[in-house]
Amino acid sequence: MTPSAADGSVARGRSRRNFAGARPVMDDVARLAGVSKQTVSRVLNDHPAVRPATRQAVVDAMRTLGYRPSRSARSLASGRTRMLGVISFDAARYGPASILTAINTAAQEAGYLVSSIALDTADHDTVVEAVNRLSAEGADGVIAIAPQLWVGRALAETDLATPLVVLESPLDDGTPLVTGDSRTGARKATEHLLALGHRTVWHIAGPTGWTSADHRLTSWRETLRSAGAEVPAPLVGDWSAGSGYELGREVARRAEVTAVFVSNDQMALGVLHALHEAGRAVPGDISVVGYDDIPEAAHFLPPLTTVRTDFAEIGTRSLRLLLNRIDGANEPWPSGTLVPVDLVVRASSGPAARRVR
């Protein structure tokens, strides 16, 4: 049966709100608030020209109706997709995973969706393909978690038209960079052990070519030289507890070692395991300091002294910086943002043992 004009459905058009179970739409909000659909759109996009009373009326109407703006509606209103892209590497590790979680949380609070691409390899073609994919999806901006130097170089060679923020590796082209202060963290760890009376500090480094590992290695070496201490040859791991265990066995065989700074907590866990097996007491014989302060670090045996990195702050700050670039691309932006770190002293570090000559 064709609807008649008597019920108003032909003359006025039927609101979807009249259909049982249908989701309310922007027209319904405008009708209940007594404003135009354009005004509702302005409120959704936080336009400054809307009067406070009008804005509140629209917000109240959305709450009453249970209206949630769709991504497509916001896109049409603002010319944006309200989608951000994230490229990550080695996403299973605690640091990158924590950063990604923080980015997702901050993006959701800002009304954005996140399209994440986790790459197993960091070769040039794979990075370029990921950038092109996010561009094709219409990402309003991209955050790249680029822990390796060659990832930064690959990103620098891509033709990304949208705003970009990089974590860890600088691109040397003015692209904003957000990273933990690895140099200061390594200095604090090394100075802590020297202050406990250790003549020198050995170092188990992360893999070569990783920006954070290289910065920690350089800062450890510079700190020892500034203190006039001997600089031992570094031992290089691959971030895993297994590599820390193998290198820890080597450390345990060296009677002259009294202090070790390890470039991440997972490798430090392996070191503690190896020292325990070898009968080397921690910290009685050898003090151990890690890096990152993973949640389990306080429960190692003994609890691990480590450098705390605020990964959540890195993710949140990078998201905030990206949104600022999207909203005001003509403003000057800092080329680098260092997130402070803290030394957390626990039971794995102690005074150098007095040795009988």
Side-chain angles (χ1 to χ4, degrees), residues 83-87 115 130-135 138-145 155 160-167 175-176 318 322 325-326:
M83 187 272 284
L84 305 174
V86 176
I87 302 172
S115 178
V131 169
N132 290 340
R133 174 180 159 188
L134 291 173
S135 295
D140 292 329
V142 174
I143 296 174
I145 304 174
L155 285 168
L160 183 62
T162 58
L164 173 67
V165 171
V166 175
L167 307 186
T175 298
S318 65
L322 180 62
R325 295 203 78 201
I326 292 171

Side-chain angles (χ1 to χ4, degrees), residues 2-240:
T2 303
S4 65
D7 66 2
S9 61
V10 173
R12 295 188 304 274
R14 178 175 290 177
S15 167
R16 287 175 58 189
R17 193 159 43 92
N18 293 331
F19 290 95
R23 293 179 58 185
V25 296
M26 196 180 296
D27 285 330
D28 300 322
V29 176
R31 185 179 297 109
L32 182 59
V35 298
S36 67
K37 184 176 178 180
Q38 183 181 18
T39 298
V40 175
S41 175
R42 287 176 175 173
V43 171
L44 289 174
N45 289 281
D46 202 23
H47 197 286
V50 181
R51 291 182 300 176
T54 302
R55 186 184 304 276
Q56 189 59 51
V58 172
V59 171
D60 290 343
M62 288 192 290
R63 289 174 177 169
T64 299
L65 297 172
Y67 172 74
R68 294 182 179 276
S70 67
R71 179 178 163 189
S72 59
R74 288 196 170 196
S75 176
L76 288 172
S78 65
R80 298 177 183 171
T81 62
R82 307 294 296 186
M83 187 272 284
L84 305 174
V86 176
I87 302 172
S88 64
F89 302 86
D90 204 16
R93 286 199 304 119
Y94 173 71
S98 300
I99 291 171
L100 187 56
T101 298
I103 291 172
N104 275 284
T105 299
Q108 184 178 14
E109 292 174 353
Y112 280 83
L113 296 177
V114 174
S115 178
S116 301
I117 300 178
L119 301 181
D120 295 327
T121 59
D123 61 87
H124 179 274
D125 291 343
T126 303
V127 174
V128 171
E129 182 180 350
V131 169
N132 290 340
R133 174 180 159 188
L134 291 173
S135 295
E137 291 178 357
D140 292 329
V142 174
I143 296 174
I145 304 174
Q148 296 127 312
L149 295 174
W150 51 89
V151 176
R153 287 194 289 267
L155 285 168
E157 295 173 6
T158 60
D159 186 20
L160 183 62
T162 58
L164 173 67
V165 171
V166 175
L167 307 186
E168 298 288 349
S169 298
L171 302 194
D172 298 326
D173 64 354
T175 298
L177 168 72
V178 181
T179 184
D181 192 355
S182 283
R183 296 180 189 274
T184 297
R187 176 180 55 78
K188 287 184 175 182
T190 307
E191 288 179 343
H192 167 68
L193 291 168
L194 292 174
L196 289 171
H198 297 279
R199 294 182 178 179
T200 190
V201 178
W202 286 65
H203 183 44
I204 294 180
T208 303
W210 289 66
T211 306
S212 59
D214 292 348
H215 287 175
R216 290 166 199 172
L217 172 64
T218 299
S219 182
W220 159 79
R221 184 180 286 126
E222 291 174 348
T223 302
L224 289 181
R225 287 174 177 167
S226 296
E230 176 189 353
V231 182
L235 305 174
V236 180
D238 64 6
W239 297 129
S240 71

Side-chain angles (χ1 to χ4, degrees), residues 239-304:
W239 297 129
S240 71
S243 71
Y245 173 75
E246 293 301 327
L247 295 172
R249 293 178 66 185
E250 182 174 345
V251 167
R253 290 192 292 266
R254 297 175 178 266
E256 72 273 20
V257 179
T258 66
V260 182
F261 164 46
V262 189
S263 197
N264 80 334
D265 289 349
Q266 284 88 351
M267 290 194 298
L269 175 61
V271 171
L272 292 176
H273 181 192
L275 294 177
H276 174 75
E277 280 190 348
R280 303 293 299 276
V282 177
D285 294 325
I286 300 179
S287 288
V288 178
V289 175
Y291 204 105
D292 285 340
D293 194 26
I294 63 175
E296 298 82 5
H299 305 286
F300 288 179
L301 289 176
L304 184 67

Side-chain angles (χ1 to χ4, degrees), residues 188-189 192-193 196 288-289 293 303-308 342-350:
K188 287 184 175 182
H192 167 68
L193 291 168
L196 289 171
V288 178
V289 175
D293 194 26
L304 184 67
T305 296
T306 185
V307 177
R308 175 178 294 157
D342 296 305
L343 179 69
V344 181
V345 179
R346 299 193 180 103
S348 69
S349 58

